[in-house]
Amino acid sequence: MGTSFPNSKTLYLFFLIVLFIGSFSSPSKAFANESLTQCLINHSQPSHPITSAIYTPNKSSYSNVLQSYIRNLRFNTSDTPKPTLILTALHESHVQAAIVCAQKLSVQMKIRSGGHDYEGISYVSISSPFFILDMFNLRSVDVDIEAEMAWVQAGATLGEVYYGIAAKSKVHGFPAGVCPTVGVGGHFSGGGYGNMMRKYGLTVDNIVDARIINVNGEILDRESMGEDLFWAIRGGGGASFGVVLAYKINLVRVPQTVTVFSVPRTWEQNATEVVYKWEQVAPQLHEDLFIRLTMDVVNGTKAGEKTIRATFIALFLGDAQRLLSLMSNSFPELGLRSSDCIEMSWVESTLFWTNFPIGTPADALLSRTPQVLTHLKRKSDYVKQIIPKDGLELIWRRMIELERPMLTFNPYGGKMGEIPATNTPFPHRAGNLWKVQYATNWDENGDEAARHYIELTRKLYRYMTPFVSKNPREAFLNYRDLDLGINHNGDESYEEGRVYGVKYFKGNFNRLVEIKTKVDPGNFFRNEQSIPVLPQ
Ligand SMILES: Cc1cc2nc3c(=O)[nH]c(=O)nc-3n(C[C@H](O)[C@H](O)[C@H](O)COP(=O)(O)OP(=O)(O)OC[C@H]3O[C@@H](n4cnc5c(N)ncnc54)[C@H](O)[C@@H]3O)c2cc1C
Ligand SMILES: *[C@@H]1O[C@H](CO)[C@@H](O)[C@H](O)[C@H]1NC(C)=O
Ligand SMILES: *[C@@H]1O[C@H](CO)[C@@H](O)[C@H](O)[C@H]1NC(C)=O
Ligand SMILES: *[C@@H]1O[C@H](CO)[C@@H](O)[C@H](O)[C@H]1NC(C)=O
Ligand SMILES: *[C@@H]1O[C@H](CO)[C@@H](O)[C@H](O)[C@H]1NC(C)=O
Ligand SMILES: *[C@@H]1O[C@H](CO)[C@@H](O)[C@H](O)[C@H]1NC(C)=O
Ligand SMILES: *[C@@H]1O[C@H](CO)[C@@H](O)[C@H](O)[C@H]1NC(C)=O
């Protein structure tokens, strides 16, 4: 099993030793920051000066820039390996300079858009020296309602995309994730699921063009990159193949009025019956209706006692009346009342889903400050068979023992079952009932707390083994989990890559490797879980 490498003192010491040895063997490594700065300046165009985009550790704003997009406080410690430089690209030519110079000076490049990677691999590295190419300045959202399309740059957030669409139309939306500060660069290139996936599929199912910069520093679009590479960057993770500058997306139609609800049921309130029924109906319901199920541990009715709370959170693409009749036919066990249903516009529903109070103005979507910042660990699973009632109760007893980890089930069906598994690198299509997310958050700083809460999460994952996919035990790339394997990008890179690769991509892994080998044979675009090249 992998460890949480940036917390590990051992690896940090190793990192220091490498740096120390490096300072004798190669001056360009010890002062990577200085030669890199010089190279970037040498390779920038006078019309687009680069110096104001360069942050070296001797600049007082360096820490601020670094921390601005750290979205997991587990990686906001003094032990966390730090980049030798941050380039906050202001122009596409800056990205080109970064790619050329990183290769010239053998400095590893990490690409960061929204910084929401659960394992921080967009801004932390096990190899040194490394620097960050930060994309947050490249964030335009150009919506063309007549064509029902938009170009969105990698540094935009989901909130900016949703806001940009809603500012021009009340009847268009886009199927992507729930948290508005998530970045386009990582989210779109890694799959992207949200509460409209039963009707419209994933984000990657709605991408029609892209602009990327390849290992030679060339800007390519769909036509010039070809269908293989275009396929790979719709779910295979952008960071293995190039720097994504922008995606062109198809907007989808949404009704002027949608309906949401959030209804909790504790174990004492017959959650077993209701959840068991949810398992059977949620993946079969009308595709206009998406009902997420989250389960967490809360205080019971008796003092000192804990219980399980199952919360059913819905987006319905229609009005409350139609929703109520659909629910009373298909899922009467939930006992949905009209007072539970809240009608609103689609853009307001994106605010509801991320826990903003009802009535919050839509421009809250433009804030780049996350509502909550914590230390966190996430894992994922896929379920293909109904979990029996005694199985559910066994899981709940374990959860009460562990107390902190939560479970979220996101139902499939609808469009998700119709799209062939080879259409995009994302392979988890027909045959799945729902996706599981394991989520543990904590406030305490330090390695000991991190180890403790990560271990709780792994325990719950082990308890779930009988109920989830096997051979391989499938996982979702956007729910980055270094427990699935780490690539050191050395001689064993292909073998190491297969370990996590088949879990994230199943049969699509081989095609990703072939494409990678063609477009980046030197493995410049690499990270702890990138797609490896074929061994010679
Ligand atoms: C609070 C929260 C809520 C989330 N909700 C959802 C959800 O509802 N649905 C869902 O599917 N996922 C969700 N995620 C996961 C999220 O989709 C992934 O973490 C995603 O990769 C984040 O993208 P980013 O640009 O913010 O991340 P980053 O950390 O910047 O990047 C993630 C990965 O993509 C690479 N990358 C980033 N930009 C580029 C680029 N321009 N070109 C090439 N490679 C690039 C990075 O190098 C890194 O490997 C959530 C995450 C968080 C923290
Ligand atoms: C930058 O350019 C100068 C002058 O052309 C050259 O001497 C120097 O080696 C270059 N530095 C790097 C790091 O490319
Ligand atoms: C570059 O790194 C070296 C060694 O870590 C450090 O001494 C120096 O101050 C750094 N320079 C800049 C420009 O940050
Ligand atoms: C940081 O170091 C670089 C290179 O050594 C130098 O050019 C720059 O002026 C320094 N900046 C500050 C703020 O000290
Ligand atoms: C990250 O760490 C720095 C330095 O310890 C601290 O000042 C900052 O508040 C931290 N960020 C958050 C969001 O806690
Ligand atoms: C739980 O189920 C029992 C038996 O079906 C029923 O009598 C009771 O009212 C239900 N409780 C709740 C809170 O729905
Ligand atoms: C749960 O109960 C504990 C005591 O057992 C108490 O300290 C805590 O505040 C309660 N939490 C909530 C959310 O009521």
Side-chain angles (χ1 to χ4, degrees):
M1 294 299 259
T3 53
S4 49
F5 67 82
N7 284 314
S8 147
K9 285 237 160 66
T10 326
L11 266 167
Y12 179 57
L13 278 178
F14 177 72
F15 166 75
L16 281 182
I17 290 164
V18 169
L19 204 70
F20 185 69
I21 293 169
S23 68
F24 287 105
S25 60
S26 155
S28 76
K29 274 202 168 170
F31 300 106
N33 50 9
E34 276 149 36
S35 39
L36 193 54
T37 302
Q38 200 48 55
C39 182
L40 291 169
I41 293 168
N42 282 6
H43 286 85
S44 66
Q45 307 161 355
S47 51
H48 300 289
I50 203 167
T51 27
S52 64
I54 297 175
Y55 293 84
T56 41
N58 70 342
K59 232 181 184 175
S60 60
S61 44
Y62 165 90
S63 293
N64 242 328
V65 173
L66 176 63
Q67 287 161 22
S68 290
Y69 291 92
I70 292 181
R71 299 306 191 220
N72 184 348
L73 295 185
R74 192 148 61 93
F75 306 112
N76 188 42
T77 73
S78 51
D79 282 5
T80 310
K82 300 288 187 295
T84 186
L85 180 152
I86 305 166
L87 178 67
T88 60
L90 297 161
H91 187 260
E92 292 179 348
S93 63
H94 296 173
V95 178
Q96 293 172 301
I99 292 173
V100 170
C101 292
Q103 289 177 83
K104 209 168 170 169
L105 301 169
S106 304
V107 183
Q108 176 163 29
M109 183 174 84
K110 287 295 185 115
I111 313 162
R112 180 164 74 171
S113 286
H116 282 64
D117 192 285
Y118 287 137
E119 300 278 13
I121 75 167
S122 54
Y123 55 88
V124 182
S125 182
I126 53 171
S127 38
S128 67
F130 75 101
F131 78 104
I132 298 175
L133 170 63
D134 232 332
M135 299 293 285
F136 65 85
N137 285 316
L138 303 177
R139 58 163 96 159
S140 68
V141 174
D142 290 318
V143 178
D144 180 347
I145 289 297
E146 223 156 277
E148 301 189 289
M149 286 183 181
W151 270 107
V152 294
Q153 281 189 305
T157 61
L158 301 186
E160 288 163 357
V161 175
Y162 298 158
Y163 184 89
I165 296 169
K168 293 204 169 167
S169 166
K170 302 282 168 258
V171 291
H172 287 88
F174 188 67
V178 161
C179 168
T181 52
V182 164
V184 162
H187 186 74
F188 285 28
S189 65
Y193 85 89
N195 54 21
M196 293 201 289
M197 74 175 160
R198 302 191 65 253
K199 178 140 181 164
Y200 292 117
L202 302 174
T203 300
V204 289
D205 301 322
N206 296 278
I207 293 175
V208 292
D209 204 342
R211 280 165 57 77
I212 71 161
I213 305 190
N214 71 5
V215 69
N216 303 321
E218 298 156 337
I219 299 182
L220 307 174
D221 65 2
R222 178 174 183 169
E223 201 187 336
S224 52
M225 81 178 80
E227 288 304 303
D228 271 346
L229 183 50
F230 182 62
W231 177 85
I233 58 166
R234 283 176 297 150
S240 298
F241 301 96
V243 177
V244 176
L245 295 172
Y247 283 109
K248 187 182 190 183
I249 56 175
N250 259 332
L251 307 183
V252 302
R253 303 270 176 98
V254 295
Q256 215 147 38
T257 301
V258 306
T259 308
V260 298
F261 65 75
S262 175
V263 174
R265 288 279 181 275
T266 62
W267 201 339
E268 288 83 358
Q269 295 168 329
N270 295 346
T272 312
E273 299 298 327
V274 188
V275 169
Y276 186 64
K277 185 63 190 277
W278 176 93
E279 294 190 56
Q280 292 158 72
V281 299
Q284 318 296 336
L285 284 168
H286 192 283
E287 62 183 18
D288 283 343
L289 180 53
F290 180 85
I291 309 178
R292 167 184 282 186
L293 168 61
T294 68
M295 286 157 279
D296 61 352
V297 178
V298 295
N299 285 344
T301 40
K302 281 188 222 141
E305 235 175 56
K306 300 281 177 195
T307 188
I308 288 288
R309 173 179 61 183
T311 308
F312 301 83
I313 308 160
L315 171 69
F316 179 62
L317 298 169
D319 62 23
Q321 204 189 339
R322 201 177 126 224
L323 172 60
L324 283 162
S325 94
L326 218 147
M327 287 293 287
S328 71
N329 284 329
S330 311
F331 194 8
E333 292 78 2
L334 186 61
L336 188 72
R337 296 162 307 181
S338 77
S339 58
D340 297 321
C341 301
I342 313 164
E343 293 186 332
M344 54 180 61
S345 66
W346 174 77
V347 75
E348 286 166 339
S349 79
T350 67
L351 291 162
F352 172 87
W353 265 74
T354 183
N355 298 320
F356 279 108
I358 304 279
T360 302
D363 61 10
L365 293 171
L366 302 179
S367 168
R368 284 185 166 246
T369 311
Q371 294 152 278
V372 196
L373 265 179
T374 61
H375 305 72
L376 58 89
K377 174 67 187 172
R378 300 286 185 270
K379 298 177 78 65
S380 61
D381 258 322
Y382 283 89
V383 172
K384 295 170 193 287
Q385 281 174 332
I386 302 281
I387 302 173
K389 284 186 202 169
D390 58 357
L392 285 174
E393 295 193 330
L394 177 77
I395 295 164
W396 292 350
R397 278 195 295 276
R398 298 298 195 206
M399 284 179 73
I400 289 172
E401 276 166 32
L402 301 172
E403 218 174 309
R404 192 62 70 91
M406 300 180 287
L407 289 179
T408 297
F409 292 178
N410 285 291
Y412 271 51
K415 187 99 176 175
M416 288 304 289
E418 293 161 18
I419 297 172
T422 53
N423 258 29
T424 70
F426 177 94
H428 320 286
R429 304 280 189 171
N432 290 294
L433 294 174
W434 62 86
K435 170 161 54 79
V436 180
Q437 184 184 71
Y438 302 76
T440 308
N441 298 337
W442 64 96
D443 294 324
E444 302 94 311
N445 286 318
D447 287 359
E448 205 176 313
R451 262 196 303 276
H452 172 70
Y453 290 112
I454 289 170
E455 187 49 32
L456 295 185
T457 321
R458 289 176 181 157
K459 274 188 177 154
L460 183 56
Y461 183 78
R462 287 198 286 271
Y463 294 146
M464 287 289 284
T465 308
F467 308 113
V468 300
S469 66
K470 313 174 173 47
N471 304 316
R473 186 164 181 175
E474 299 172 30
F476 176 37
L477 181 68
N478 269 349
Y479 287 177
R480 176 92 56 205
D481 177 6
L482 291 184
D483 294 350
L484 303 177
I486 290 182
N487 207 317
H488 299 84
N489 290 301
D491 293 343
E492 307 296 312
S493 171
Y494 177 77
E495 287 74 19
E496 288 178 346
R498 261 202 85 76
V499 175
Y500 54 82
V502 297
K503 294 171 184 159
Y504 286 138
F505 305 113
K506 298 176 72 183
N508 292 332
F509 176 69
N510 291 339
R511 184 170 174 200
L512 286 167
V513 171
E514 277 167 32
I515 297 168
K516 166 75 178 183
T517 307
K518 222 180 291 165
V519 304
D520 182 24
N523 197 23
F524 167 67
F525 291 110
R526 65 186 182 277
N527 60 49
E528 290 71 14
Q529 282 191 339
S530 52
I531 302 295
V533 297
L534 269 176
Q536 262 86 45

Short mmCIF file of all heavy atoms in Angstrom, two decimals, residues 111-118 121-122 154 177-179 182-183 185-187 192-193 238-239 242-244 476 478 480 527, ligand 1:
data_model
loop_
_atom_site.label_atom_id
_atom_site.label_comp_id
_atom_site.label_asym_id
_atom_site.label_seq_id
_atom_site.Cartn_x
_atom_site.Cartn_y
_atom_site.Cartn_z
N ILE A 111 1.46 20.66 -13.40
CA ILE A 111 0.46 21.57 -13.98
C ILE A 111 -0.69 21.70 -12.99
O ILE A 111 -1.24 20.70 -12.54
CB ILE A 111 -0.09 21.00 -15.30
CG1 ILE A 111 1.04 20.49 -16.20
CG2 ILE A 111 -0.96 22.03 -16.01
CD1 ILE A 111 0.57 19.55 -17.31
N ARG A 112 -1.03 22.95 -12.66
CA ARG A 112 -2.13 23.16 -11.72
C ARG A 112 -3.17 24.08 -12.34
O ARG A 112 -2.84 25.15 -12.84
CB ARG A 112 -1.58 23.76 -10.43
CG ARG A 112 -2.66 24.01 -9.37
CD ARG A 112 -2.07 24.22 -8.00
NE ARG A 112 -1.44 25.53 -7.82
CZ ARG A 112 -1.02 26.00 -6.66
NH1 ARG A 112 -1.13 25.28 -5.55
NH2 ARG A 112 -0.45 27.20 -6.57
N SER A 113 -4.43 23.66 -12.29
CA SER A 113 -5.51 24.56 -12.75
C SER A 113 -6.31 25.01 -11.55
O SER A 113 -6.14 26.12 -11.06
CB SER A 113 -6.38 23.87 -13.79
OG SER A 113 -5.68 23.78 -15.02
N GLY A 114 -7.19 24.14 -11.01
CA GLY A 114 -7.97 24.52 -9.83
C GLY A 114 -7.35 24.04 -8.53
O GLY A 114 -7.78 24.44 -7.44
N GLY A 115 -6.37 23.15 -8.60
CA GLY A 115 -5.69 22.66 -7.40
C GLY A 115 -6.50 21.71 -6.54
O GLY A 115 -6.14 21.46 -5.39
N HIS A 116 -7.57 21.11 -7.09
CA HIS A 116 -8.43 20.25 -6.26
C HIS A 116 -8.01 18.79 -6.23
O HIS A 116 -8.72 17.96 -5.66
CB HIS A 116 -9.89 20.36 -6.71
CG HIS A 116 -10.55 21.60 -6.22
ND1 HIS A 116 -10.13 22.85 -6.61
CD2 HIS A 116 -11.58 21.80 -5.38
CE1 HIS A 116 -10.88 23.76 -6.02
NE2 HIS A 116 -11.77 23.17 -5.26
N ASP A 117 -6.90 18.47 -6.85
CA ASP A 117 -6.44 17.08 -6.81
C ASP A 117 -6.41 16.60 -5.36
O ASP A 117 -5.80 17.24 -4.50
CB ASP A 117 -5.04 16.99 -7.42
CG ASP A 117 -4.62 15.57 -7.68
OD1 ASP A 117 -4.29 14.86 -6.69
OD2 ASP A 117 -4.64 15.15 -8.84
N TYR A 118 -7.09 15.46 -5.10
CA TYR A 118 -7.22 15.00 -3.71
C TYR A 118 -5.87 14.63 -3.09
O TYR A 118 -5.73 14.61 -1.88
CB TYR A 118 -8.15 13.79 -3.64
CG TYR A 118 -9.62 14.12 -3.85
CD1 TYR A 118 -10.43 13.32 -4.65
CD2 TYR A 118 -10.20 15.21 -3.21
CE1 TYR A 118 -11.77 13.60 -4.82
CE2 TYR A 118 -11.55 15.49 -3.37
CZ TYR A 118 -12.33 14.69 -4.18
OH TYR A 118 -13.66 14.96 -4.35
N ILE A 121 -1.28 16.25 -6.31
CA ILE A 121 -0.16 16.00 -7.23
C ILE A 121 0.02 17.10 -8.27
O ILE A 121 0.97 17.07 -9.03
CB ILE A 121 -0.21 14.60 -7.89
CG1 ILE A 121 -1.26 14.53 -8.98
CG2 ILE A 121 -0.39 13.49 -6.88
CD1 ILE A 121 -1.08 13.28 -9.82
N SER A 122 -0.86 18.10 -8.28
CA SER A 122 -0.64 19.23 -9.17
C SER A 122 0.31 20.27 -8.56
O SER A 122 0.74 21.18 -9.25
CB SER A 122 -1.98 19.90 -9.50
OG SER A 122 -2.67 20.25 -8.32
N ALA A 154 -8.59 26.37 -19.35
CA ALA A 154 -8.29 25.40 -18.29
C ALA A 154 -8.33 26.01 -16.89
O ALA A 154 -8.67 25.33 -15.92
CB ALA A 154 -6.93 24.77 -18.54
N GLY A 177 -19.12 18.83 -12.36
CA GLY A 177 -19.12 18.54 -10.93
C GLY A 177 -19.85 19.55 -10.07
O GLY A 177 -20.33 20.58 -10.53
N VAL A 178 -19.87 19.22 -8.79
CA VAL A 178 -20.73 19.88 -7.84
C VAL A 178 -20.03 21.05 -7.13
O VAL A 178 -20.67 22.01 -6.75
CB VAL A 178 -21.22 18.82 -6.82
CG1 VAL A 178 -21.73 19.45 -5.56
CG2 VAL A 178 -22.24 17.92 -7.48
N CYS A 179 -18.73 20.98 -7.00
CA CYS A 179 -18.04 22.03 -6.22
C CYS A 179 -17.58 23.15 -7.16
O CYS A 179 -16.85 22.91 -8.10
CB CYS A 179 -16.85 21.39 -5.51
SG CYS A 179 -15.72 22.57 -4.80
N VAL A 182 -13.73 23.85 -8.24
CA VAL A 182 -12.96 22.85 -9.00
C VAL A 182 -12.54 23.45 -10.34
O VAL A 182 -13.31 24.19 -10.97
CB VAL A 182 -13.81 21.57 -9.21
CG1 VAL A 182 -13.23 20.68 -10.30
CG2 VAL A 182 -13.95 20.79 -7.91
N GLY A 183 -11.33 23.12 -10.81
CA GLY A 183 -10.81 23.69 -12.05
C GLY A 183 -11.18 22.87 -13.28
O GLY A 183 -11.29 21.64 -13.22
N GLY A 185 -9.23 22.42 -15.92
CA GLY A 185 -8.08 21.66 -16.42
C GLY A 185 -8.03 20.23 -15.91
O GLY A 185 -7.89 19.29 -16.70
N GLY A 186 -8.16 20.03 -14.62
CA GLY A 186 -8.11 18.69 -14.05
C GLY A 186 -9.44 17.96 -14.19
O GLY A 186 -9.48 16.79 -14.55
N HIS A 187 -10.52 18.68 -13.92
CA HIS A 187 -11.85 18.05 -13.89
C HIS A 187 -12.27 17.53 -15.26
O HIS A 187 -12.71 16.39 -15.40
CB HIS A 187 -12.86 19.08 -13.39
CG HIS A 187 -14.25 18.55 -13.17
ND1 HIS A 187 -14.58 17.76 -12.10
CD2 HIS A 187 -15.39 18.71 -13.89
CE1 HIS A 187 -15.87 17.45 -12.16
NE2 HIS A 187 -16.38 18.02 -13.24
N GLY A 192 -15.03 13.97 -15.02
CA GLY A 192 -16.04 14.95 -14.63
C GLY A 192 -17.43 14.39 -14.56
O GLY A 192 -18.08 14.18 -15.57
N TYR A 193 -17.91 14.12 -13.34
CA TYR A 193 -19.29 13.68 -13.24
C TYR A 193 -20.04 14.67 -12.37
O TYR A 193 -19.46 15.37 -11.54
CB TYR A 193 -19.41 12.27 -12.64
CG TYR A 193 -19.42 12.31 -11.15
CD1 TYR A 193 -20.63 12.45 -10.47
CD2 TYR A 193 -18.24 12.34 -10.44
CE1 TYR A 193 -20.64 12.59 -9.09
CE2 TYR A 193 -18.25 12.47 -9.08
CZ TYR A 193 -19.45 12.60 -8.41
OH TYR A 193 -19.47 12.76 -7.06
N GLY A 238 -5.19 15.03 -18.32
CA GLY A 238 -4.43 15.85 -19.26
C GLY A 238 -2.93 15.76 -19.02
O GLY A 238 -2.14 15.72 -19.96
N ALA A 239 -2.55 15.68 -17.74
CA ALA A 239 -1.15 15.86 -17.36
C ALA A 239 -0.20 14.80 -17.92
O ALA A 239 1.01 14.97 -17.84
CB ALA A 239 -1.05 15.92 -15.84
N GLY A 242 0.00 16.55 -22.23
CA GLY A 242 0.30 17.91 -22.64
C GLY A 242 -0.31 18.88 -21.65
O GLY A 242 -0.80 18.48 -20.59
N VAL A 243 -0.28 20.15 -22.00
CA VAL A 243 -0.95 21.15 -21.17
C VAL A 243 -2.24 21.54 -21.90
O VAL A 243 -2.18 22.03 -23.03
CB VAL A 243 -0.09 22.40 -20.94
CG1 VAL A 243 -0.87 23.44 -20.14
CG2 VAL A 243 1.20 22.03 -20.22
N VAL A 244 -3.36 21.27 -21.27
CA VAL A 244 -4.64 21.67 -21.86
C VAL A 244 -4.80 23.17 -21.68
O VAL A 244 -4.68 23.68 -20.56
CB VAL A 244 -5.81 20.93 -21.19
CG1 VAL A 244 -7.14 21.44 -21.74
CG2 VAL A 244 -5.69 19.43 -21.37
N PHE A 476 -12.08 5.80 -9.80
CA PHE A 476 -12.34 6.95 -10.66
C PHE A 476 -11.16 7.91 -10.61
O PHE A 476 -10.78 8.38 -9.53
CB PHE A 476 -13.63 7.63 -10.16
CG PHE A 476 -13.99 8.91 -10.88
CD1 PHE A 476 -13.79 9.05 -12.24
CD2 PHE A 476 -14.56 9.96 -10.17
CE1 PHE A 476 -14.14 10.23 -12.89
CE2 PHE A 476 -14.93 11.13 -10.82
CZ PHE A 476 -14.71 11.27 -12.18
N ASN A 478 -10.66 11.02 -11.25
CA ASN A 478 -10.82 12.32 -10.60
C ASN A 478 -10.86 12.22 -9.07
O ASN A 478 -10.76 13.23 -8.39
CB ASN A 478 -12.08 13.04 -11.09
CG ASN A 478 -11.81 13.93 -12.30
OD1 ASN A 478 -10.68 14.17 -12.65
ND2 ASN A 478 -12.86 14.40 -12.92
N ARG A 480 -8.58 10.99 -7.15
CA ARG A 480 -7.18 10.56 -7.05
C ARG A 480 -6.91 9.90 -5.71
O ARG A 480 -7.23 10.44 -4.65
CB ARG A 480 -6.28 11.77 -7.19
CG ARG A 480 -4.81 11.45 -7.01
CD ARG A 480 -4.11 11.14 -8.27
NE ARG A 480 -4.27 12.22 -9.21
CZ ARG A 480 -4.18 12.07 -10.54
NH1 ARG A 480 -3.92 10.89 -11.05
NH2 ARG A 480 -4.32 13.10 -11.34
N ASN A 527 3.76 12.21 -13.72
CA ASN A 527 3.53 12.47 -12.30
C ASN A 527 3.38 11.14 -11.59
O ASN A 527 3.65 10.08 -12.17
CB ASN A 527 2.33 13.41 -12.09
CG ASN A 527 1.03 12.85 -12.65
OD1 ASN A 527 0.69 11.69 -12.39
ND2 ASN A 527 0.32 13.64 -13.42
C1 LIG B 1 -14.32 19.92 -3.05
C2 LIG B 1 -14.17 19.01 -4.23
C3 LIG B 1 -15.31 18.61 -4.92
C4 LIG B 1 -15.22 17.79 -6.03
N1 LIG B 1 -16.36 17.43 -6.69
C5 LIG B 1 -16.26 16.65 -7.80
C6 LIG B 1 -17.42 16.30 -8.54
O1 LIG B 1 -18.53 16.69 -8.20
N2 LIG B 1 -17.26 15.53 -9.64
C7 LIG B 1 -16.03 15.10 -10.05
O2 LIG B 1 -15.93 14.43 -11.08
N3 LIG B 1 -14.92 15.40 -9.35
C8 LIG B 1 -15.01 16.17 -8.26
N4 LIG B 1 -13.88 16.49 -7.57
C9 LIG B 1 -12.58 15.99 -8.05
C10 LIG B 1 -12.05 16.88 -9.16
O3 LIG B 1 -12.77 16.68 -10.34
C11 LIG B 1 -10.60 16.55 -9.44
O4 LIG B 1 -9.84 16.74 -8.28
C12 LIG B 1 -10.04 17.41 -10.57
O5 LIG B 1 -8.88 16.80 -11.08
C13 LIG B 1 -9.74 18.80 -10.09
O6 LIG B 1 -9.34 19.63 -11.15
P1 LIG B 1 -8.46 20.92 -10.80
O7 LIG B 1 -8.08 21.57 -12.06
O8 LIG B 1 -9.15 21.70 -9.75
O9 LIG B 1 -7.23 20.21 -10.09
P2 LIG B 1 -5.65 20.28 -10.18
O10 LIG B 1 -5.20 19.83 -8.83
O11 LIG B 1 -5.19 21.58 -10.66
O12 LIG B 1 -5.31 19.17 -11.26
C14 LIG B 1 -5.66 17.81 -11.15
C15 LIG B 1 -4.84 16.98 -12.13
O13 LIG B 1 -5.02 17.46 -13.46
C16 LIG B 1 -3.79 17.94 -13.99
N5 LIG B 1 -4.06 19.20 -14.70
C17 LIG B 1 -4.63 20.32 -14.19
N6 LIG B 1 -4.73 21.26 -15.13
C18 LIG B 1 -4.24 20.74 -16.27
C19 LIG B 1 -4.07 21.25 -17.58
N7 LIG B 1 -4.44 22.49 -17.88
N8 LIG B 1 -3.51 20.45 -18.51
C20 LIG B 1 -3.11 19.19 -18.20
N9 LIG B 1 -3.25 18.66 -16.97
C21 LIG B 1 -3.81 19.42 -16.01
C22 LIG B 1 -2.91 18.17 -12.79
O14 LIG B 1 -1.53 18.15 -13.13
C23 LIG B 1 -3.34 17.06 -11.88
O15 LIG B 1 -2.75 15.85 -12.28
C24 LIG B 1 -13.95 17.32 -6.45
C25 LIG B 1 -12.81 17.71 -5.75
C26 LIG B 1 -12.90 18.54 -4.65
C27 LIG B 1 -11.66 18.92 -3.89
#
